[in-house]
Amino acid sequence: MSEQPLNPSTEPGARDETAEAPAIDAAVNADAHADVNAAASTTEDTADVAVSGAEASDAEADAAARRAASFDRQRRLRQEPRFPGGPAADPAGSHHERRIRSFQPRRSRVTVGQQDALERLWPQWGFDIDGLSVLDLDQMFGGLPVVLEIGFGMGEATAQMAADDPATGILAVDVHTPGQGNLLRLADLAGSTNVRVANGDAIILLREMLKPESLDGLRVYFPDPWPKVRHHKRRLIQPDFLDLVSGRMKPGAVIHCATDWEPYAEQMLEVLTAHPRFENTRPDGGYAPRPAFRPLTRFEGQGLDKGHVVHDLLFARV
């Protein structure tokens, strides 16, 4: 009888499982180490991502804090008067409201002469539109008829009209500090005492600080045309504005507008003509020639040199 092998797997052609076991164990161990390394790598990557996320979050928080601090500094600057005792930067700050405005406050260089006029004359001839009290125009102007002018630029035309007609008081409104100082300076040089300068939003002045039927006229010369279509809502001459001013103007008082922007002139004519409380002083229902009392302004002269056509509109309150 032949001898049987001790390990059948060692027969020719049979698999040597004992020999393969170390290789299998090594492969398993290698896979296990790879899994461990991958897990460790994933953990490290996750930690890195968490750190990066935290750093990004901290950076965003720092940026937000810087923006908030910058906004607060700008707000304080807007509220601080450039000249102590002079026009305030935000006189109706307590009346903050979400309303589309027709103007943008501008800050630019104030000359020595303008600064001197603001420091000397503002307490006497200037005031802030704070919306906190109702004005007594009779007392302010000594009983003179009063015309409100909204937006006077550097004040040359306003000062000229005041000097030419001392029997009419001019309540001039603007937010441009150099222009306010220049108007006070020019009025002082001419010896005019019939000008008062108001600093702030004319809408708040009309709505909260003027009595009904207290104005003998309204002048709006060369307001911002806001030429882009999406900005047309910012134009001053709108039905709501006319509703407001009609209640502050005496019957027969004239609103006088002038512009060198043709599309805005067309809108002004359309809106004024459609309003039930205003009537065109022109029998033909069109534009009026420039009245002799309105001086040719520097701005207007520049427009004429460029070929612009200036339109005047005069409508009486009925």
Side-chain angles (χ1 to χ4, degrees):
M1 183 172 67
S2 62
E3 185 178 356
Q4 296 294 324
L6 296 178
N7 188 348
S9 64
T10 59
E11 293 180 352
R15 295 172 58 192
D16 188 353
E17 294 180 357
T18 304
E20 288 182 356
I24 294 173
D25 292 342
V28 170
N29 290 336
D31 290 343
H33 285 301
D35 291 341
V36 170
N37 292 334
S41 177
T42 301
T43 303
E44 291 175 357
D45 290 344
T46 303
D48 290 341
V49 170
V51 171
S52 299
E55 291 175 350
S57 179
D58 290 343
E60 291 175 0
D62 290 343
R66 287 194 299 270
R67 287 194 298 269
S70 176
F71 178 80
D72 188 58
R73 284 195 301 272
Q74 293 174 5
R75 179 183 59 80
R76 289 198 305 270
L77 285 174
R78 287 195 299 268
Q79 294 175 345
E80 293 174 0
R82 298 181 69 181
F83 307 100
D90 187 15
S94 60
H95 289 246
H96 176 71
E97 54 188 329
R98 296 183 63 84
R99 172 170 58 81
I100 296 173
R101 301 182 187 276
S102 63
F103 65 92
Q104 290 182 327
R106 297 170 294 146
R107 283 200 167 192
S108 56
R109 187 177 66 87
V110 176
T111 67
V112 173
Q114 294 162 2
Q115 178 175 346
D116 174 70
L118 286 168
E119 292 174 349
R120 289 189 300 107
L121 301 172
W122 186 262
Q124 180 183 358
W125 289 349
F127 68 93
D128 288 321
I129 300 173
D130 56 15
L132 300 178
S133 61
V134 177
L135 301 177
D136 186 341
L137 296 184
D138 286 337
Q139 182 180 10
M140 182 178 288
F141 287 93
L144 295 177
V146 178
V147 172
L148 174 65
E149 182 176 359
I150 299 178
F152 53 80
M154 292 305 295
E156 295 100 334
T158 306
Q160 184 64 52
M161 289 186 291
D164 292 344
D165 185 13
T168 297
I170 299 179
L171 177 55
V173 183
D174 210 305
V175 293
H176 188 45
T177 308
Q180 294 166 345
N182 201 52
L183 176 54
L184 291 173
R185 182 183 69 84
L186 294 173
D188 186 43
L189 289 174
S192 302
T193 59
N194 57 328
V195 178
R196 299 294 180 272
V197 180
N199 170 54
D201 189 341
I203 298 299
I204 294 177
L205 174 70
L206 285 160
R207 190 182 64 202
E208 301 179 24
M209 299 182 69
L210 293 181
K211 299 176 183 177
E213 298 188 353
S214 57
L215 296 174
D216 294 271
L218 173 64
R219 296 169 180 168
V220 185
Y221 298 155
F222 304 99
D224 193 326
W226 294 102
K228 294 182 180 179
V229 173
R230 69 176 183 269
H231 291 157
H232 284 183
K233 60 182 176 292
R234 295 184 178 276
R235 289 176 172 176
L236 181 63
I237 306 302
Q238 307 273 7
D240 289 347
F241 174 75
L242 297 180
D243 289 341
L244 176 59
V245 300
S246 65
R248 299 297 181 264
M249 297 172 66
K250 297 176 182 178
V254 172
I255 176 173
H256 181 192
C257 302
T259 180
D260 68 336
W261 192 260
E262 185 77 24
Y264 197 10
E266 294 172 355
Q267 178 189 324
M268 288 179 175
L269 183 61
E270 179 182 352
V271 171
L272 282 162
T273 299
H275 200 281
R277 302 194 72 179
F278 289 99
E279 184 177 71
N280 198 332
T281 61
R282 290 285 298 175
D284 61 3
Y287 301 113
R290 179 174 64 88
F293 66 80
R294 183 176 74 75
L296 187 70
T297 67
R298 179 178 57 182
F299 178 84
E300 182 178 2
Q302 292 172 350
L304 293 173
D305 290 341
K306 297 175 182 178
H308 295 183
V309 177
V310 176
H311 292 292
D312 285 76
L313 303 92
L314 288 90
F315 279 70
R317 158 57 163 97
V318 296

